Amino acid sequence: EDVCLGPVTNFTCHIFFAVFGLLYLRSASAKIFCFSVFAFLVISKFQVLFYPPYGDAIGGPFAEALWLSQHYFDYAGLYHQPGYQFGGPKVYMFSIYPTYLALLLSWIPRTSAFLVVNHFIVYFFAAVIVTLIRSMALKIFDSATALLCSVVVLALPLFQSQTDAINMEMPCLFFSMLSVYDLSRKKIGKASLWAIASV
């Protein structure tokens, strides 16, 4: 799976999506293209929907989110907890991301449902990011080249690994790309707001 079947399947899926895109999505609206990318991610990464968070996400935003959800969002109490270097939950007090996770944990207590909802949100972010890349590429290239630019980003291993994960990278990139997109359209006010949201 790791050495042969997985990479071959992944490569084949992205080639299929590129061909499908060239045949049916070259002149598609941004909404249709975004929906198509989202559907592609759900179908090609269906098994990922049930993957738990791993690595840095566990000791970082999830540790803080779990503590917040179990302690009724007691931020004063969190402030007095040990930090990351001591194995404590006080990790990202400057970020709204753990609060967002804590709210989802409170609203969706069932683990499998929580994981699926989070992965759907990350897939949505990824689909919007790829759609924004296509939209910006359309200003420079023809529709086929713009589509292939977006598929290349979608197929990048680093982008794929972050699409599979539940962590802060994809939300940050989502807001950053919205900022870049509005900046490319010379909408400085909106671009500034998206940049602040990303930070």
Side-chain angles (χ1 to χ4, degrees), residues 5-35:
L5 188 60
V8 168
T9 303
N10 191 21
F11 178 77
T12 305
C13 285
H14 283 85
I15 292 296
F16 170 78
F17 186 70
V19 171
F20 175 82
L22 289 171
L23 291 174
Y24 301 108
L25 299 174
R26 284 170 64 168
S27 59
S29 68
K31 287 181 183 177
I32 296 294
F33 185 78
C34 187
F35 175 78

Side-chain angles (χ1 to χ4, degrees), residues 82-101:
Y84 179 81
Q85 66 273 28
F86 301 111
K90 184 175 71 175
V91 184
Y92 290 112
M93 286 205 70
F94 57 86
S95 174
I96 61 169
Y97 186 70
T99 298
Y100 150 79
L101 287 176

Side-chain angles (χ1 to χ4, degrees), residues 8 39 61 71 73 80 103 124 135 148-149 162 170:
V8 168
H71 293 88
F73 296 86
H80 295 291
L103 286 169
F124 170 76
S135 296
L148 291 174
C149 287
Q162 294 307 317
M170 211 42 100

Side-chain angles (χ1 to χ4, degrees), residues 24-54:
Y24 301 108
L25 299 174
R26 284 170 64 168
S27 59
S29 68
K31 287 181 183 177
I32 296 294
F33 185 78
C34 187
F35 175 78
S36 300
V37 173
F38 180 80
F40 168 73
L41 290 171
V42 171
I43 293 166
S44 66
K45 295 178 175 290
F46 185 78
Q47 76 282 7
V48 173
L49 291 174
F50 303 97
Y51 284 8
Y54 61 90

Side-chain angles (χ1 to χ4, degrees), residues 58-134:
I58 294 293
F62 272 89
E64 187 168 314
L66 191 58
W67 192 94
L68 283 169
S69 68
Q70 291 174 344
H71 293 88
Y72 308 102
F73 296 86
D74 179 10
Y75 291 96
L78 177 63
Y79 178 77
H80 295 291
Q81 294 299 308
Y84 179 81
Q85 66 273 28
F86 301 111
K90 184 175 71 175
V91 184
Y92 290 112
M93 286 205 70
F94 57 86
S95 174
I96 61 169
Y97 186 70
T99 298
Y100 150 79
L101 287 176
L103 286 169
L104 284 181
L105 282 167
S106 300
W107 295 336
I108 311 169
R110 194 163 157 233
T111 304
S112 58
F114 173 80
L115 293 173
V116 169
V117 166
N118 266 284
H119 282 295
F120 272 149
I121 291 168
V122 173
Y123 288 179
F124 170 76
F125 287 159
V128 171
I129 291 162
V130 170
T131 302
L132 291 173
I133 288 168
R134 174 183 173 249

